[in-house]
Amino acid sequence: MYTFLPENITPVKQKASKEQKSMIGAIILGLILVIAAVVSWCYYSVSLRKAERLKTELLDLRKDGFVIRNQQGRQVFRVTFESGVLDLESCSKYGDILTCTKSDKGKLNFFIQTVNPKDTVMCYRVRWEEFVEDTEVQHTMYWDDAHWYGGAEMSTQHWPIKLFGYQEPKPFVTSDVYSFRDRFGGILERYWLSSNAAAIKINDSVPFHLGWNSTEKSLFFEARYKDSPYKAAPGHHPFPELSYRVCVGSDVTSIHKYMVRRYFNKPMKIPAENNFKYPIWSTWALYKTDIDQDKLLRFAEKIKKNKFNYSHIEIDDMYSKTYGDFDFDPVKFPNATEMFAKMKEDGFNVTLWIHPFINYNSSNFGVGIERELFVKEPNGRLPAMVQWWNGIGAILDFTNPNARDWFQNNLKRLRTKYGISSFKFDAGETSYLPEQFSTYRPLSDPSMFSRRYTEMAIPFYDRAEVRVGYQSQNISCFFRIIDRDSVWGYELGLKSLIPTVLTISMLGYPFILPDMIGGNIYTNGTLNPDKIPDRELYIRWLELSAFMPSMQFSVPPWLYDQEVIEIAQKFTQIHATLVAPLLLELAGEVTDTGDPIIRPIWWISPNDETAHKIDSQFLIGDTLMVAPVLEPGKQERDVYLPEGHWRSYKGEYFQSTPVLLTDYPVDLDEVAYFIWVSEEKVNT
C-alpha cells in the first residue's frame, strides 16, 4: 500500500545526534590516518629499498654524509657533507659505483666507487663536483676515538696529531713555518692515517684547503678556487671538485704499507754512505753571514783537532758578494781555489748553501730579466719581486726549462771549478711566491713550484739536502726539517723533533736530516744572550740526533767543556758503529718497499692502544727502539716496551711485555735504547 503526500509538503529530515556526529568524525579521521599510514609506509618502504640499494660494501650513504665500517662491523671513518644535502632520489647504483646527480642546491656530480684490491683492504673513491663557479665543496671528517697521523710539518708538532681551537679551511700549500708559524710546513702530503686502520688520500686535482675544530674532533676538507692560490687548469671552468680515496685495512701498519706502495713514489737511489755514518758540519750557527776563508779553515782544523769524523762541511749563508751570484766573494775568499785544494787534501768534502732568489743588486738580475728566467707578474711582462729573509729580489721560475738549465749549469760550474760536492737547497716554499704571479707553465697547484725546485737537487743527490717536499719522494736526497729554536718544547723545540721526523717518515720521506744539534741558538726569533744553547739541552739534543738518519753539528761541542766533547765523541761513535749499519741496511730496502726508516712504536705492535699515543720513543727499523730524555733536569724517564723480547743497552733482558718501565734511570751521558731479541736467540 502506498502513501501519497501533497506536492507542497516536504518531508522532515531527522537530525543526527551528537553521538552519531562524533562517530562519523572518528570514522573520517580514522580513514585519513589509515591513508596517511599507508602513504607513509609506502614512502618508508620505497626509502628503505632506496637506502638498501644505496648501501655499498661496509659503507652506508646518507643524504648528509657516509660512514665506513671495517670487516668486524666497527665504524672506522665518518664524514658529513657541509656544502649540500644529497637528493637520494637522484641516486642510483650500478655495480660497484654509486652515483647521485642532485643536491638541495642543484645539479652535481657525486659518486662513490668501491674497490677491493686485496682480501684485507677495502677502498672507496669519493668525488663531489659542483657545476657552479665561486662556490666550495666541504666535507667534515670526524676522528672520533681514533688517533690520526700525517698531513704536514707544523711549527707545533705532536704525534699523534693534536690541533687546537677552530680554524677555517686555509690553503694546504708549502710554507716556511719558522717565519709563518700559523701555516703548514715545507714538507706536506695530502695523506692521513688513523689508528683504526683507515687512511685517506686527497686527489692531486683538488684545490685543497684544510681546517679543523678541536672541540668536535674534526677536520674540514674543502675544495675551492675563490679567494685561493689554486687556479683551474687552462681551458677548464673553476668548478670545485673534492675527490679522495679512503682505504680501510686490518691494522694501522698494513694499511699504511698498502697506501705507500699504491700512491707514493719511492726514492730511486741512496745518498752517500758517509751521510749516514758521519756528521755534517755547518758553518751557520757559529759564523752566520760572517763566514770567510780563514774561519772556514780554522773550523775544519778544530774538527780534526777534536778527533771528530765528518761527512762534509757545509758553507752556509753569504759566501758570495751578493745574493744571486754563483761564485765566492774575492774579499772574503781571496784564494778560493787553493782553499778547496787544502780542504780536499785534509779529506773534507764541501757543500754550498744555495737558494732560488736573485736579488736586484746581483749582476745576474739583469741576466734573468733578459732571458726571462723569473716568476713574473700576472700580466707576464715584468719579474714579480719578492721579499725574503735576505732582501728583495726575483725568484727563478723552475717551470721554465731555460731557468732550470741556467740554474743547474751554474751549480755544475761551481762543482767543476772548485770541486764542490753538492748543495744545501734552502727555501722553495710557496710562501715566498708573490700573491699574484704567472709562470712559464701555469701552476694549478702552487705547491708544484716546491716540487720543481726539489728536482734541481737530482744531479747532486748524494750529498744534497732540501727543505721542501711535495710529491717529491723519488728525489733521492736528504730532506731537512725546518730550523729549530734552542728550546725544549713542542713549538720548534727538542720535543718536536720525534713527532716531526715520524710525520715526515709517514709521508714517504725516509732520508731525514733533523737539522742542527742544539737548535739555531734562537728562542722565538731572539738570539740567545750566551750565543750557545743551554748545555743540558745541547747534550740531550746531541744524544737524540745520534739515532737519527743523519747528524749535523753547527754549534760545535768544543764551545762547552771537555765533558761535552767526550759525550759528543761517544755518540758520534755510537752513530757510526751501531746506528749507521742499520740505517744503511734499511736504506737499501726503501727503494723497493717505501717503508720508513724511522718508525713509530705501533709499527711492530699495530693493535696496541698505548703504542698509538707514544711521541717520545721511536724505532729504527723493527729492532732498535730509542727512548731519549727530553725533559730538563731529568735523569730518568718512563719507557714503554711493546710486546716482544728486549735487551737494554745496559744488558737487562725484558721478556714479560708489554710493560711500562717507570722512572727508568738514564744518566746525562746516556740514551735509553733497547734491541729486539729473536725467539731463536732467546732459546739459545
Side-chain angles (χ1 to χ4, degrees):
M1 184 174 186
Y2 300 95
T3 302
F4 294 95
L5 295 176
E7 291 182 1
N8 59 344
I9 296 177
T10 302
V12 178
K13 294 182 180 178
Q14 189 174 1
K15 291 184 179 181
S17 66
K18 289 183 179 180
E19 290 79 4
Q20 288 175 320
K21 287 182 178 181
S22 298
M23 183 176 295
I24 292 169
I27 291 170
I28 293 171
L29 179 61
L31 288 172
I32 293 172
L33 290 174
V34 168
I35 293 169
V38 170
V39 171
S40 299
W41 173 253
C42 292
Y43 180 80
Y44 173 75
S45 298
V46 170
S47 299
L48 190 63
R49 288 195 299 272
K50 186 77 173 179
E52 286 298 318
R53 289 201 306 272
L54 297 183
K55 276 190 175 183
T56 188
E57 192 166 357
L58 302 176
L59 181 147
D60 295 339
L61 176 67
R62 302 161 184 167
K63 64 181 181 179
D64 60 351
F66 64 88
V67 297
I68 299 174
R69 296 178 172 83
N70 62 17
Q71 293 182 351
Q72 290 72 45
R74 179 187 177 192
Q75 180 178 303
V76 295
F77 192 83
R78 179 165 66 101
V79 159
T80 59
F81 306 141
E82 305 299 334
S83 49
V85 174
L86 289 178
D87 178 359
L88 295 182
E89 292 301 314
S90 74
C91 301
S92 56
K93 186 179 178 186
Y94 301 96
D96 58 4
I97 300 178
L98 189 159
T99 63
C100 304
T101 58
K102 291 182 182 178
S103 73
D104 60 334
K105 294 183 178 179
K107 184 181 177 183
L108 85 161
N109 175 23
F110 174 86
F111 75 78
I112 298 179
Q113 180 180 14
T114 305
V115 181
N116 188 196
K118 53 193 298 189
D119 291 342
T120 57
V121 176
M122 185 68 72
C123 294
Y124 307 89
R125 295 177 58 219
V126 181
R127 179 187 179 97
W128 182 306
E129 182 182 14
E130 293 281 354
F131 295 107
V132 179
E133 297 183 10
D134 296 335
T135 187
E136 66 279 332
V137 179
Q138 182 175 312
H139 293 180
T140 298
M141 184 197 77
Y142 295 87
W143 62 73
D144 295 328
D145 62 342
H147 301 290
W148 284 83
Y149 316 92
E153 180 183 20
M154 306 280 279
S155 61
T156 301
Q157 198 92 45
H158 292 278
W159 179 274
I161 293 170
K162 289 182 185 177
L163 299 170
F164 303 96
Y166 181 90
Q167 173 63 55
E168 287 286 347
K170 56 185 178 180
F172 193 72
V173 295
T174 61
S175 297
D176 174 359
V177 288
Y178 191 83
S179 300
F180 307 98
R181 299 202 177 188
D182 61 341
R183 301 187 189 180
F184 302 109
I187 301 175
L188 53 72
E189 299 293 336
R190 303 169 168 199
Y191 170 69
W192 288 266
L193 172 74
S194 91
S195 58
N196 283 344
I200 180 170
K201 176 75 168 59
I202 308 294
N203 287 355
D204 298 340
S205 58
V206 176
F208 182 52
H209 299 67
L210 179 69
W212 60 82
N213 185 336
S214 62
T215 303
E216 295 183 351
K217 295 184 177 180
S218 62
L219 293 176
F220 308 140
F221 298 147
E222 184 178 87
R224 64 177 162 90
Y225 289 108
K226 184 180 180 181
D227 300 325
S228 169
Y230 296 98
K231 305 298 179 186
H236 291 74
H237 292 287
F239 296 153
E241 161 227 328
L242 181 58
S243 57
Y244 49 89
R245 292 167 170 83
V246 180
C247 293
V248 177
S250 56
D251 62 69
V252 61
T253 304
S254 63
I255 194 61
H256 176 70
K257 287 185 175 184
Y258 170 79
M259 296 295 285
V260 167
R261 286 158 175 74
R262 178 67 181 83
Y263 297 116
F264 288 169
N265 293 318
K266 294 186 287 293
M268 298 179 292
K269 301 177 182 178
I270 301 169
E273 182 175 317
N274 280 358
N275 278 14
F276 296 94
K277 293 179 68 175
Y278 305 129
I280 300 166
W281 296 82
S282 169
T283 64
W284 170 247
L286 196 59
Y287 301 114
K288 297 291 189 292
T289 58
D290 292 331
I291 187 63
D292 61 31
Q293 182 171 313
D294 290 340
K295 289 172 183 173
L296 178 63
L297 291 172
R298 287 200 304 270
F299 189 47
E301 182 182 337
K302 286 189 177 182
I303 294 170
K304 297 191 72 173
K305 180 181 177 181
N306 286 282
K307 300 179 180 179
F308 285 104
N309 287 321
Y310 39 86
S311 168
H312 55 271
I313 283 184
E314 191 174 81
I315 302 176
D316 212 289
D317 198 345
M318 209 57 208
Y319 55 84
S320 59
K321 190 174 180 180
T322 60
Y323 295 107
D325 296 350
F326 292 91
D327 211 336
F328 287 86
D329 182 346
V331 175
K332 300 176 79 174
F333 296 87
N335 304 108
T337 302
E338 291 82 355
M339 178 191 72
F340 281 107
K342 175 73 165 78
M343 299 285 286
K344 184 177 181 180
E345 182 182 325
D346 290 343
F348 285 98
N349 288 296
V350 180
T351 63
L352 290 182
W353 175 78
I354 201 70
H355 53 82
F357 307 103
I358 308 294
N359 276 13
Y360 68 90
N361 59 341
S362 169
S363 60
N364 282 323
F365 185 75
V367 175
I369 291 177
E370 181 182 349
R371 299 188 184 182
E372 299 188 2
L373 305 178
F374 299 138
V375 172
K376 296 181 180 180
E377 291 183 347
N379 60 21
R381 295 178 181 176
L382 298 175
M385 303 299 286
V386 297
Q387 183 164 6
W388 62 297
W389 66 89
N390 277 328
I392 297 174
I395 187 166
L396 288 165
D397 180 0
F398 295 107
T399 73
N400 184 342
N402 293 331
R404 294 162 67 91
D405 290 345
W406 182 82
F407 183 69
Q408 284 199 338
N409 287 338
N410 276 290
L411 301 187
K412 289 174 182 177
R413 184 182 56 79
L414 278 168
R415 184 171 62 180
T416 301
K417 184 176 181 179
Y418 298 111
I420 300 298
S421 296
S422 190
F423 299 89
K424 170 186 176 178
F425 293 83
D426 212 355
E429 299 91 347
T430 67
S431 50
Y432 292 109
L433 290 171
E435 285 190 18
Q436 299 294 328
F437 64 90
S438 63
T439 49
Y440 181 84
R441 289 196 173 95
L443 291 174
S444 298
D445 179 353
S447 289
M448 287 305 296
F449 179 85
S450 300
R451 160 71 197 188
R452 297 290 170 253
Y453 181 52
T454 60
E455 292 170 354
M456 297 298 95
I458 291 175
F460 316 99
Y461 78 95
D462 56 343
R463 282 186 170 84
E465 65 177 79
V466 297
R467 82 172 197 189
V468 290
Y470 178 68
Q471 301 180 23
S472 304
Q473 294 89 346
N474 62 322
I475 309 295
S476 305
C477 64
F478 272 85
F479 286 78
R480 176 175 68 88
I481 67 176
I482 197 67
D483 305 41
R484 305 285 115 172
D485 282 334
S486 296
V487 296
W488 290 89
Y490 286 101
E491 184 178 350
L492 298 177
L494 178 60
K495 285 185 181 178
S496 72
L497 216 60
I498 295 174
T500 302
V501 171
L502 288 174
T503 297
I504 294 172
S505 290
M506 289 296 105
L507 299 180
Y509 298 92
F511 309 132
I512 303 170
L513 180 61
D515 204 44
M516 301 177 293
I517 291 168
N520 61 7
I521 325 180
Y522 284 84
T523 303
N524 297 323
T526 303
L527 185 66
N528 290 3
D530 296 333
K531 296 189 177 180
I532 56 174
D534 171 76
R535 182 178 185 273
E536 183 188 9
L537 174 68
Y538 182 84
I539 291 171
R540 293 306 191 190
W541 207 305
L542 159 66
E543 293 166 349
L544 169 56
S545 294
F547 292 87
M548 289 291 169
S550 186
M551 300 179 71
Q552 185 181 62
F553 285 104
S554 194
V555 176
W558 55 81
L559 293 186
Y560 293 92
D561 52 49
Q562 186 60 33
E563 183 185 17
V564 174
I565 293 174
E566 291 174 0
I567 292 173
Q569 290 170 337
K570 171 184 174 180
F571 277 95
T572 53
Q573 184 67 17
I574 288 174
H575 181 82
T577 57
L578 173 68
V579 180
L582 181 55
L583 293 172
L584 289 165
E585 178 186 340
L586 295 165
E589 299 172 0
V590 161
T591 55
D592 293 325
T593 67
D595 289 347
I597 291 175
I598 303 298
R599 302 171 182 177
I601 299 301
W602 52 251
W603 187 267
I604 58 172
S605 192
N607 297 312
D608 185 338
E609 293 185 6
T610 300
H612 293 159
K613 297 178 286 185
I614 292 176
D615 71 345
S616 62
Q617 298 175 217
F618 61 94
L619 292 163
I620 305 175
D622 291 345
T623 58
L624 179 57
M625 186 177 67
V626 186
V629 173
L630 304 175
E631 297 279 354
K634 297 288 186 180
Q635 296 201 22
E636 69 281 326
R637 64 155 293 162
D638 293 348
V639 178
Y640 183 73
L641 298 179
E643 186 176 356
H645 303 286
W646 298 92
R647 192 179 304 280
S648 78
Y649 68 107
K650 301 176 182 179
E652 306 152 309
Y653 179 65
F654 299 93
Q655 187 172 1
S656 300
T657 56
V659 63
L660 178 66
L661 309 178
T662 58
D663 295 328
Y664 186 80
V666 186
D667 291 340
L668 182 62
D669 65 342
E670 294 180 328
V671 167
Y673 64 89
F674 302 80
I675 297 173
W676 180 80
V677 182
S678 66
E679 292 286 346
E680 292 79 4
K681 290 186 178 180
V682 169
N683 297 325
T684 58

